[in-house]
Amino acid sequence: MFSCHTDSPAETAALAELVGKKVHEGTVFCLEGDLGAGKTLFVQSLAHTLGVTGEVTSPTFNLMNVYEGICPIFHFDLYRLESAEELEDIGFFEYTEDPEGIVLIEWADKFPECLPENYVRLCIEHDPAEENGRIFTFTSIGSQQQKLVEELGRLVHTGN
């Protein structure tokens, strides 16, 4: 686990770009944070770093968007779902249990019991001391992503 801080949307985008340099196919990111915390901005910047050239939008009404980059990117937004049963209806488990690409899940904390065994939890919090400040905490859930999270921590703290 590691935490880092950004002071602006531009710094949040730069953080996502650093993460995009190390993320690999088969990774699931579960993003948590209040409305306006920066989840979608992080996803947009990460997707563009991974080669997505078109518009990246939060799939609030679609529930899932698929983007083509260096590998498929599956972007879920669970905000509007009311029950875990709805995850089955949208094919959620087909994409998250053995991902063939990169999976990004906004509002993942709504259904913690339905998340895959291995993923990177990304919690984004407003910094109460700074209007545009954000605190990002990356945690490996399960053993498969531990090495990635450690590598990301080194990368983020050194900037290389």
Side-chain angles (χ1 to χ4, degrees):
M1 179 178 89
F2 75 93
S3 293
C4 60
H5 184 274
T6 64
D7 292 324
S8 66
E11 283 188 15
T12 295
L15 172 62
E17 290 171 16
L18 282 174
V19 172
K21 292 178 181 178
K22 293 296 179 184
V23 71
H24 52 79
E25 202 166 338
T27 302
V28 176
F29 279 93
C30 293
L31 292 89
E32 302 174 13
D34 294 335
L35 284 170
K39 296 180 298 294
T40 301
L41 173 61
F42 185 89
V43 168
Q44 290 168 333
S45 300
L46 180 65
H48 288 133
T49 301
L50 295 171
V52 176
T53 56
E55 186 178 13
V56 175
T57 59
S58 185
T60 304
F61 294 100
N62 298 342
L63 303 178
M64 182 184 79
N65 289 337
V66 180
Y67 303 106
E68 290 300 326
I70 61 171
C71 67
I73 300 167
F74 305 99
H75 181 196
F76 288 90
D77 185 329
L78 307 184
Y79 182 73
R80 295 203 178 277
L81 295 183
E82 298 293 326
S83 70
E85 290 76 30
E86 292 174 281
L87 294 172
E88 188 71 44
D89 296 340
I90 64 171
F92 179 80
F93 301 105
E94 295 169 28
Y95 294 98
T96 60
E97 289 178 358
D98 189 19
E100 295 182 10
I102 295 170
V103 180
L104 306 163
I105 307 167
E106 294 188 50
W107 297 97
D109 50 328
K110 284 191 74 171
F111 305 105
E113 70 283 358
C114 297
L115 298 178
E117 189 174 317
N118 292 283
Y119 61 92
V120 176
R121 178 179 180 244
L122 175 53
C123 183
I124 307 171
E125 300 173 285
H126 292 273
D127 182 344
E130 298 178 43
E131 182 179 341
N132 289 317
R134 300 293 186 268
I135 301 165
F136 290 78
T137 303
F138 293 79
T139 307
S140 173
I141 304 300
S143 60
Q144 288 182 356
Q145 302 304 330
Q146 183 64 41
K147 183 177 178 181
L148 173 63
V149 169
E150 290 170 2
E151 193 173 349
L152 290 175
R154 285 190 299 275
L155 178 69
V156 166
H157 291 298
T158 64
N160 298 317

